[in-house]
Amino acid sequence: MTDSELPTILLTGGTSGIGRVAARQLASSGSTVAVVGRNASRGETLVSESRSLAGTIDFLQYDLATQDAVRALAKHVRESYPTLDVLIHNAGVSVPDRTETTDGIEKTLAVNHLAPYLLTCELLETLRMGARGRVVVTASGLHTRATFDFDNLQFEAQYDSLDAYARSKLCNVAFTLELADRLREINEPITVNCLHPGFVPETGLFRDAALRKRIMIRLAAVLPWVGTSVEAGGSLLSGLATDPTYRTETGLYVGPEGPTEPSETARDRKNRIKLWEESASLVGVDSSWPA
Ligand SMILES: NC(=O)c1ccc[n+]([C@@H]2O[C@H](COP(=O)([O-])OP(=O)(O)OC[C@H]3O[C@@H](n4cnc5c(N)ncnc54)[C@H](OP(=O)(O)O)[C@@H]3O)[C@@H](O)[C@H]2O)c1
């Protein structure tokens, strides 16, 4: 493989957990990986630790909770990486108490779903310039316990952090399937796939959870038969970005054992279209994209 064939990858949520493992694996094989996160110290450590790797890791400090920051990130990427090959949406949060962003959006929905939706829309042309456009979304098996309630998408009435998280992951799967179909319908060769890494107790995902929950997760992390390792989760993620299968296959939901069927709620096209339109309205873009 020549240098010109090595992909340029934008990876959100690469400062910690499975994203950090994936960033190192991708850079080890020579890719340029632009890692997005909020935590400057973790980002800079990752950059300095990567100097001996074959590829490059850059750190881009942006808070994906605000739409202005997502648009600013997209502008920076368009200017700095004109040929983006892979866009990985891995940043994710679980928020213990209902919190609204400065855009007035429930934070789990804003970071986990609306940021990927808006960032993909903003970077679609840049992905078209790349040689092998792919979008990868980190979803979760927890999406199967979620339903859509489009009159209460942001849990205004009654908030439960696990329900909000599970619904945001349902949004991830529904968005993946819908974007894949829309791109296929216009003969656009960019592929879109999502994954569920399994339960990975070692990551920082539940760092803000209530003490009791954190203790249970900490216990799970030391029991070898519970959950999966952060390395295995990271490898699954980097595999979707580089495995030739996912350069041609699109609209897949991939678990540790390979592609599997997501929930019926996620597959339902009426739900997907409704989510697409609601999301476009919440981030202020024309819902006809990617036409
Ligand atoms: N752990 C599990 O059991 C599990 C299972 C299924 C799916 N997942 C999914 O896997 C993905 C990665 O999570 P993880 O488990 O590896 O947890 P993690 O260690 O907490 O990683 C989350 C990443 O998201 C970034 N992030 C969070 N909020 C952000 C924001 N507002 N703006 C920019 N970046 C932000 C964090 O970076 P900063 O802190 O630097 O902002 C961090 O790099 C998530 O999408 C999660 O939903 C996890």
Side-chain angles (χ1 to χ4, degrees):
M1 193 180 255
T2 66
D3 276 355
S4 63
E5 287 172 323
L6 293 168
T8 300
I9 298 169
L10 182 67
L11 164 60
T12 72
T15 53
S16 159
I18 66 170
R20 190 179 185 92
V21 170
R24 287 186 58 85
Q25 288 176 347
L26 293 164
S28 296
S29 55
S31 300
T32 296
V33 189
V35 161
V36 181
R38 294 161 302 175
N39 190 301
S41 149
R42 282 201 294 266
E44 280 152 18
T45 305
L46 179 65
V47 170
S48 64
E49 285 172 0
S50 71
R51 297 228 162 86
S52 58
L53 303 178
T56 309
I57 296 183
D58 301 332
F59 173 59
L60 311 180
Q61 189 181 16
Y62 288 88
D63 183 345
L64 298 167
T66 69
Q67 294 172 19
D68 278 353
V70 175
R71 288 191 166 89
L73 167 64
K75 182 171 181 290
H76 176 82
V77 171
R78 284 192 297 267
E79 288 165 0
S80 306
Y81 309 93
T83 57
L84 189 64
D85 296 292
V86 187
L87 171 56
I88 307 179
H89 300 293
N90 174 69
V93 282
S94 169
V95 183
D97 300 307
R98 191 178 186 284
T99 309
E100 286 193 359
T101 66
T102 51
D103 301 309
I105 310 258
E106 190 280 310
K107 190 173 178 184
T108 324
L109 186 76
V111 174
N112 295 8
H113 167 61
L114 292 176
Y117 181 90
L118 178 58
L119 192 58
T120 311
C121 178
E122 289 275 327
L123 290 177
L124 201 63
E125 286 309 313
T126 317
L127 275 169
R128 283 179 166 132
M129 309 292 249
R132 62 208 111 182
R134 307 184 188 207
V135 179
V136 176
V137 184
T138 306
S140 167
L142 278 177
H143 87 273
T144 56
R145 63 166 270 159
T147 54
F148 281 120
D149 175 356
F150 290 107
D151 293 328
N152 186 27
L153 197 57
Q154 302 189 46
F155 293 91
E156 271 127 351
Q158 197 179 10
Y159 182 80
D160 174 87
S161 64
L162 191 57
D163 288 346
Y165 177 76
R167 182 177 292 161
S168 74
K169 295 286 123 181
L170 173 62
C171 292
N172 287 159
V173 182
F175 168 64
T176 300
L177 303 187
E178 186 58 22
L179 179 61
D181 277 352
R182 285 178 185 232
L183 291 170
R184 224 178 343 222
E185 283 158 15
I186 56 168
N187 295 318
E188 175 62 66
I190 296 169
T191 62
V192 195
N193 294 297
C194 62
L195 68 140
H196 75 90
F199 174 46
V200 195
E202 290 166 80
T203 73
L205 186 63
F206 299 104
R207 57 170 78 86
D208 298 326
L211 183 63
R212 195 159 152 265
K213 201 171 184 182
R214 274 187 283 133
I215 291 171
M216 284 168 66
I217 291 166
R218 186 58 65 87
L219 278 175
V222 294
L223 301 175
W225 60 91
V226 177
T228 188
S229 70
V230 72
E231 286 76 21
S235 296
L236 186 65
L237 178 58
S238 61
L240 262 81
T242 53
D243 187 323
T245 310
Y246 305 111
R247 178 62 203 96
T248 49
E249 298 288 323
T250 190
L252 295 180
Y253 170 67
V254 182
E257 312 300 328
T260 180
E261 191 158 76
S263 74
E264 200 179 328
T265 311
R267 284 182 281 127
D268 184 307
R269 189 116 203 229
K270 275 201 262 48
N271 283 339
R272 292 197 256 142
I273 291 171
K274 180 79 178 144
L275 177 68
W276 191 275
E277 284 165 2
E278 285 289 322
S279 306
S281 157
L282 288 169
V283 300
V285 300
D286 184 338
S287 67
S288 64
W289 79 283

